Amino acid sequence: MTPQQYVQEKAAASGSSFYYAFLFLPPPKRAAITAFYAFCREVDDVVDEASDLGVAATKLAWWRQEVARAFAGTPQHPVMQALMPQVSLYGLKAEQLLAVIEGCEMDLQQTRYLDFAGLARYCHLVAGVVGEVACQIFGQPSAQTFAYAHKLGLAMQLTNIIRDVGDDARRGRIYLPVDELQQFDVKANEILLRAAPWGYSDRFTALMRFQAQRAHALFDEALALLPKDERRDQKTGLMMAHIYRALLREVERENFQVLHQRISLTPLRKLWIAMRTNWMT
């Protein structure tokens, strides 16, 4: 298997919403974003699949070394072998890849965030930087477009957090800020025990509605930042934005019943949203 085949299989196997948007890119840009996305998946899987935090930390340390090796010209992993030819073409930096690793490492170090400011820093590393790299690959972004990408990454990561409350609770993690749980009188134990479908309280629903309203506001702010003359270059990001916003609305329609199930969009619906965005942009 070539490095290019490896990253393609990694991206396709994830079933991510990102994959459907990538299909509309010209081959050179699709190759670049697929390799970068595969890198993000590799380091994220280190944490998500960890049964031993020490082993996971050692693996992330290996990835830090691999980034250094790759930028020095000797990549070992097929993901980095596929990614390195794209670095000079799109101005990618080692610091960007290391930031993603740092964000994943935060999951090994803490399972709660005291306030939204702390959560936003985590989101910056695991999603904002990803948005930054993506918009570099999609086009020649202005400073305003970089700001759009970071805000859009935050909105999309908050959507993930809203959808995955139950999945994260199974791993002992709660990303919803502690001060906001207190604001709505939701106890951490209620989430960790995942007492649904019988245990959804009005307090929990109000908390989740508050989270969704913030995510919607961030989507609006992000889209308002994107200059009109860069919308066509950045339409792949817009596809992802529309897919994620449709997911957020689906969670709302299900009245935030996220503790006992993982709400998702069908592959056909994701593809349709991507196609419609492609036609309208």
Side-chain angles (χ1 to χ4, degrees):
M1 183 183 296
T2 67
Q4 290 72 28
Q5 289 170 331
Y6 181 93
V7 297
Q8 178 64 32
E9 288 196 10
K10 187 75 177 180
S14 73
S16 167
S17 302
F18 292 88
Y19 178 73
Y20 297 92
F22 297 166
L23 297 174
F24 294 85
L25 284 166
K29 292 184 178 182
R30 185 165 67 242
I33 194 64
T34 300
F36 176 67
Y37 177 73
F39 166 80
C40 295
R41 284 257 48 91
E42 289 284 351
V43 296
D44 191 54
D45 287 349
V46 167
V47 175
D48 284 347
E49 297 171 2
S51 56
D52 184 306
L53 297 185
V55 171
T58 299
K59 288 181 178 179
L60 289 181
W62 183 91
W63 273 106
R64 278 200 177 87
Q65 294 168 355
E66 174 65 359
V67 169
R69 280 191 296 265
F71 277 80
T74 57
Q76 295 180 4
H77 196 282
V79 160
M80 297 307 294
Q81 291 168 355
L83 181 60
M84 291 317 294
Q86 317 299 334
V87 165
S88 59
L89 290 175
Y90 300 105
L92 309 186
K93 301 178 181 67
E95 291 78 10
Q96 293 169 317
L97 275 62
L98 293 172
V100 175
I101 296 172
E102 181 184 350
C104 291
E105 194 169 45
M106 288 179 70
D107 281 329
L108 302 180
Q109 298 166 344
Q110 63 186 99
T111 57
R112 311 283 171 87
Y113 291 88
L114 292 178
D115 53 27
F116 182 67
L119 179 62
R121 182 179 181 277
Y122 166 79
C123 292
H124 163 73
L125 293 170
V126 299
V129 174
V130 173
E132 177 184 306
V133 171
C135 78
Q136 285 176 234
I137 293 172
F138 299 154
Q140 298 295 319
S142 63
Q144 192 168 332
T145 298
F146 275 125
Y148 142 83
H150 278 277
K151 190 148 287 193
L152 180 59
L154 177 57
M156 291 167 63
Q157 187 63 23
L158 291 180
T159 300
N160 280 338
I161 287 169
I162 291 166
R163 176 197 61 190
D164 293 341
V165 171
D167 281 351
D168 291 330
R170 271 195 293 273
R171 299 184 178 101
R173 299 180 197 154
I174 300 176
Y175 289 98
L176 306 175
V178 170
D179 63 350
E180 293 174 6
L181 266 66
Q182 293 171 343
Q183 177 184 340
F184 288 91
D185 194 28
V186 174
K187 305 295 186 290
N189 231 28
E190 296 177 56
I191 295 174
L192 293 172
L193 290 175
R194 299 173 58 249
W198 309 278
Y200 287 103
S201 65
D202 291 341
R203 295 172 289 105
F204 177 80
T205 303
L207 168 67
M208 298 304 291
R209 188 173 294 116
F210 175 80
Q211 305 299 320
Q213 287 169 350
R214 177 162 55 204
H216 277 303
L218 286 164
F219 276 117
D220 289 339
E221 291 169 20
L223 295 174
L225 282 170
L226 181 60
K228 288 185 179 180
D229 61 356
E230 293 189 51
R231 287 179 64 86
R232 189 156 190 82
D233 282 347
Q234 299 296 328
K235 68 180 175 180
T236 304
L238 293 174
M239 292 176 191
M240 294 187 288
H242 294 318
I243 290 170
Y244 266 74
R245 201 157 196 186
L247 172 61
L248 181 58
R249 289 179 175 130
E250 189 67 26
V251 172
E252 289 174 309
R253 273 192 289 272
E254 293 282 335
N255 202 30
F256 304 102
Q257 305 280 290
V258 292
L259 290 172
H260 74 290
Q261 64 179 344
R262 191 174 193 268
I263 298 168
S264 61
L265 304 179
T266 65
L268 185 59
R269 188 171 173 194
K270 293 175 186 176
L271 183 59
W272 167 245
I273 293 169
M275 290 173 63
R276 186 179 61 192
T277 306
N278 187 52
W279 294 331
M280 296 176 65
T281 303

